[in-house]
Amino acid sequence: MTYTVNGKAFDREPRPGQCLRTHLRELGHHGVKKGCDAGDCGACTVWLDGDPVHSCITPAFRAEGREVTTIEGLGSPDDLHPVQRGFRDAPGFQCGFCTAGMIMTAATFTDAQKQDLPRALKGNLCRCTGYRAIEDAVHGVAGIEDALPGRAVGTSVGTPAATDVVTGRAEFTMDTDIDGMLHVKVLHSPHAHARIVSIDKTAALAVPGVHRVYTWQDVPRKRFTTAIHTDHLVDPDDTYILDDTVRFVGQRVVAVLADTVGAAEEGCRRVVVEYEPLPAVFDPEEAMADGAPQLHGSDDPFVRDPVHNILLELHGHVGDVEAGFAEADVIHEGTYFSPRVQHAHLETHGSIAWMADGRLHVRTSSQSPSIAKVKLSHLFDLRPDQLRVFCMRVGGAFGGKQEVISEDLAALATLDTGRPVCFEYTREEEFTTASPRHPMRLTVRLGARSDGTLTAVQVRNVSNTGAYGNHGGETLFAGGAAVMLYHCPNKRFDGYSVYTNTVPSGALRGYGMTQPAFAVESAMGELAIALGMDPLELRRRNIVRPGDALVAFEDGPDDVVFAEDGVGRCIDLVDEALRRDGSEAPPGEDWLVGTGTASSLHETAPPTDHVSEAWATLGDDCIYELAVGTVEFGEGTPTAHVQIAANQLGTTPSRVRLVQSDTDRTGFDTGAFASAGLSVAGNAVVRASNALRDRILAFAAAHAGVEVAACAMDDDAVACDGVRVPLSELVEAARARGIRFTAARKAYGSPRSVVSNTHGFRVAVHRVTGEIRILRSVQATDAGVIINPAQVRGQIEGGVAQGIGFALTENFHVDGDGVMTNPNLRNYRIPTYADVPRTEVLLVESTDSVGPMHAKGMAECCINPVAPALANAVEDATGVRFRELPLTPERIYRRIVESRTGATSVHA
């Protein structure tokens, strides 16, 4: 077969049935990404004779005699295509995994298509941006700024990797080729609960190319938790690499190692497993009942109550809630349900392992290579010096990669065979075996006087942790903070994290707060109606203010600093924006219009230990090198780190070279989650940069014979009493004396501060079809000093888009046997460009006493008020309260009809 790729002729036959995507990647064109293998996401888009196609569903033989163009052939770093330049300068990406496909599609648009982007971009998905930045990129609207020396903070500088991202040269986890690499594939359990009686490997080992078949008897029999925290004791060690008991449909049973993915998959099909099915339970309330099937035995020391499948209970109170309800003029009680939802990051989980110089190297898509290294060392009895774990650019995470779930099998096989090994998840495996958000059912009871003053708050939270307890306790604890937003003398919280025979739940943006925020803020909306009060006025009357104790469910000391009325100012900004709203409802009498709001507080670091170390060095080339363990997956903290260092060193970001997320080349870093990538690692960068600056100034003063006070950093020099001494001169002088300009500093996740958010929607609801159209979307946030305005805006827009998806379109269907029935992007339905409105982002002017440069990490919290604000707006429009997500058209239609006919439904 003869064809050309980016102008170069090839005469190479693809394998039978091979798709164009894998064929191009085997030729070294790694800008062609795998997001779905079903034609759903567009990350693999290339041109065939100038026309965009999804290469994952295009047979490779279709390229015969044709010209193939990939992102690498569209333009080069020195000669960008205009659309590449637009995406760089907007910036039109965050993690960048979808960007090559977006650009290849957008570069073919006519003027007419540019005016109809909802249709033109329907084949390309982005999980990070919220699409506004992509629209700007297509239309050539630039948002990137240059920074002056020492004035990088507050400027919308671009990410250091921007040019590599838009040209397809940025390396993601799987963008490498290693000679002799083997592949792991996994056989998954068809049963929700079963004991493995026997496994016959014979037929699988006879498949040509199969090297190993691993069962529970072939792996280290060590308990661990896949969850990533510095303190592993906050999560239960209830998991094995492979086990002789399966507890959910999709659990690993056997791992097959082979020369190719196809051979490994065939090996999985040939394995013969005999199961003894066991009783299963899928509902957490039923799992807690007497006589329910037990998932974990009574000999497991990590389970709070194995008889009732309770991983953890939390009970706490302040004051006397019953006395508080007795004082109330109005009492509201309701039960609210937030379902299981998936991260849907476009890069699936994956790891590549190999041996070099007697050491194990693991390249992985993780939010914390440092903790992954700790866990692998434990599992395989390795000393720290025998193991390196690192990340390239990671294609989205949102908490889903705060787990060790691909690294262990790749490491196992490499240690066993000495060969390089790749283990890459499919999209279906992401849905059926990775860790989605915890389904939570919360009963909220609120008491208030007639003037709106809260007298009692009571919350009961039943959280479905699934078959294993990774993040089960920590998300339950975090969710208790949902009652922290409001001042009330009487509060009670009762929480249960419960095992069921479903896919294990995990960390997801908002971490345990999104579900309780939906419940509490929906309940506050209902209470306002019962009181006949404006919902924002009810919130203003009861929100915590500076000086109030941030009491959640226990009146004890904490390390949270709360010094500014961020919530109140967010409420005022959203109120003002909605009052000047000029949006119009669609024509027709069947459209009902309503407005809804919700607020939230979120702590800027997790309550467990969080540590980060930064190294700052002035290199021999007079470029500053900043080494931080934080991973880049679209959250933008590495860009902020470069800005902070440039600011403190009196230079520009272009003179700071970033090294990140590599346990060989950076210090320990707990991980980029819970906003700690900015709030903790950012503080480490401040301290290391300041220490390096002080060392340079001290040396420069002595070198020039002046006082240190007379010296200041001046881009590529030090100004010594008015005379510029080049850094090159100082480096040479220091080298002659055996001095190196370098400094390392650590920061910790305590004390912590809080981020405030308020969201407002104006919606139109069609009374016949149940369709919701968002007419107006606005969010105000108190993020302290803004380090990069474009990034802050982008993070909020992306969080709002995810929140809209969770609230309206995303449905994780599980049947009565515990099987997920829609494990693909097309049927799960994350938002497309057409689904996401422009959100007006309003920033409160404030400072923070804890964060770096007085900034607050805010990429996580922006999602929390979205769903309740939508639910409150829909009730305002229809007069019907929806207490269960998602707000699908059929659910809305059914309830509107029921409200008119007087019929009742079990689905609230």
Side-chain angles (χ1 to χ4, degrees), residues 727-742:
L727 291 178
S728 56
E729 180 180 328
L730 295 175
V731 168
E732 185 176 349
R735 188 189 303 118
R737 296 174 53 187
I739 294 173
R740 186 168 178 240
F741 294 127
T742 187

Side-chain angles (χ1 to χ4, degrees), residues 789-836:
Q791 284 195 163
V792 167
R793 180 185 178 191
Q795 289 297 318
I796 292 173
E797 289 168 338
V800 171
Q802 276 192 316
I804 290 171
F806 298 161
L808 300 184
T809 66
E810 297 181 39
N811 238 329
F812 199 109
H813 289 285
V814 178
D815 68 14
D817 296 319
V819 178
M820 191 205 181
T821 59
N822 59 324
N824 54 70
L825 293 174
R826 182 169 304 182
N827 294 323
Y828 177 71
R829 189 72 171 80
I830 70 172
T832 67
Y833 176 95
D835 299 313
V836 180

Side-chain angles (χ1 to χ4, degrees), residues 313-319 321 457-459 480 483 490-495 551-555:
E313 294 182 39
L314 289 176
H315 302 285
H317 72 279
V318 291
V321 290
V457 176
Q458 185 171 6
V459 175
V483 301
N490 306 297
K491 298 180 181 181
R492 180 171 182 84
F493 178 85
D494 297 284
V551 173
F553 53 88
E554 55 185 15
D555 191 5

Side-chain angles (χ1 to χ4, degrees), residues 338-648:
S338 293
R340 184 179 286 107
V341 291
Q342 236 286 332
H343 310 77
H345 36 71
L346 291 190
E347 180 201 49
T348 60
H349 286 81
S351 298
I352 299 172
W354 67 92
M355 300 298 295
D357 301 323
R359 302 174 70 222
L360 175 66
H361 297 250
V362 180
R363 170 171 165 154
T364 184
S365 59
S366 173
Q367 289 178 246
S368 176
S370 292
I371 303 296
K373 176 177 178 176
V374 171
K375 289 185 182 293
L376 293 177
S377 296
H378 161 71
L379 287 172
F380 300 111
D381 294 323
L382 298 174
R383 299 189 314 271
D385 64 306
Q386 295 176 302
L387 174 62
R388 173 198 180 200
V389 179
F390 69 102
C391 301
M392 304 305 290
R393 195 173 182 90
V394 173
F398 314 111
K401 295 171 181 176
Q402 196 185 337
E403 307 268 352
V404 172
I405 56 177
S406 64
E407 296 87 350
D408 54 345
L409 287 180
L412 167 78
T414 290
L415 289 169
D416 178 33
T417 65
R419 297 274 298 275
V421 172
C422 172
F423 178 30
E424 182 179 14
Y425 271 42
T426 65
R427 178 57 57 186
E428 181 172 338
E429 286 173 323
E430 287 292 330
F431 280 108
T432 58
T433 70
S435 301
R437 190 188 297 282
H438 292 74
M440 291 185 182
R441 189 175 301 277
L442 293 102
T443 299
V444 181
R445 191 179 185 210
L446 304 175
R449 298 190 181 95
S450 58
D451 66 356
T453 303
L454 289 174
T455 62
V457 176
Q458 185 171 6
V459 175
R460 181 180 187 267
N461 184 358
V462 177
S463 175
N464 185 347
T465 198
Y468 297 94
N470 42 305
H471 296 283
E474 288 299 283
T475 51
L476 187 69
F477 183 86
V483 301
M484 181 175 69
L485 178 59
Y486 297 108
H487 178 84
C488 182
N490 306 297
K491 298 180 181 181
R492 180 171 182 84
F493 178 85
D494 297 284
Y496 305 85
S497 182
V498 185
Y499 286 116
T500 64
N501 293 110
T502 57
V503 58
S505 303
L508 204 161
R509 194 178 205 162
Y511 198 79
M513 278 288 290
T514 310
Q515 309 94 309
F518 170 66
V520 171
E521 288 300 278
S522 294
M524 285 293 286
E526 294 193 70
L527 179 62
I529 293 171
L531 289 166
M533 287 186 67
D534 177 85
L536 285 176
E537 184 55 38
L538 178 63
R539 290 187 176 88
R540 284 191 184 99
R541 185 156 300 191
N542 292 284
I543 56 173
V544 291
R545 305 279 184 179
D548 291 344
L550 285 176
V551 173
F553 53 88
E554 55 185 15
D555 191 5
D558 60 46
D559 62 348
V560 180
V561 177
F562 180 56
E564 295 196 28
D565 181 19
V567 188
R569 284 190 278 174
C570 288
I571 288 173
D572 291 343
L573 287 175
V574 169
D575 190 12
E576 179 186 345
L578 291 176
R579 290 183 187 278
R580 58 177 161 80
D581 173 37
S583 59
E584 296 183 2
E589 62 182 15
D590 287 326
W591 287 101
L592 308 172
V593 178
T595 299
T597 59
S599 297
S600 70
L601 279 181
H602 200 103
E603 294 159 351
T604 58
T608 50
D609 295 340
H610 206 103
V611 184
S612 182
E613 184 174 10
W615 303 341
T617 301
L618 178 59
D620 290 344
D621 57 359
C622 297
I623 297 295
Y624 295 101
E625 183 172 280
L626 177 66
V628 193
T630 305
V631 180
E632 169 68 284
F633 50 85
E635 81 287 11
T637 50
T639 308
H641 293 163
V642 169
Q643 289 181 258
I644 291 169
N647 214 76
Q648 301 308 94

Side-chain angles (χ1 to χ4, degrees), residues 45-53 67-69 74 81 104-105 107-108:
T45 302
V46 301
W47 293 351
L48 274 183
D49 293 337
D51 295 324
V53 298
E67 171 66 39
V68 180
T69 307
L74 188 65
H81 184 280
M104 295 305 292
T105 299
T108 67

Side-chain angles (χ1 to χ4, degrees), residues 672-686:
F673 54 87
S675 297
L678 180 73
S679 58
V680 183
N683 270 328
V685 171
V686 171

Side-chain angles (χ1 to χ4, degrees), residues 696-713:
I696 293 171
L697 290 177
F699 185 90
H703 179 75
V706 300
E707 296 294 324
V708 173
C711 297
M713 305 300 294

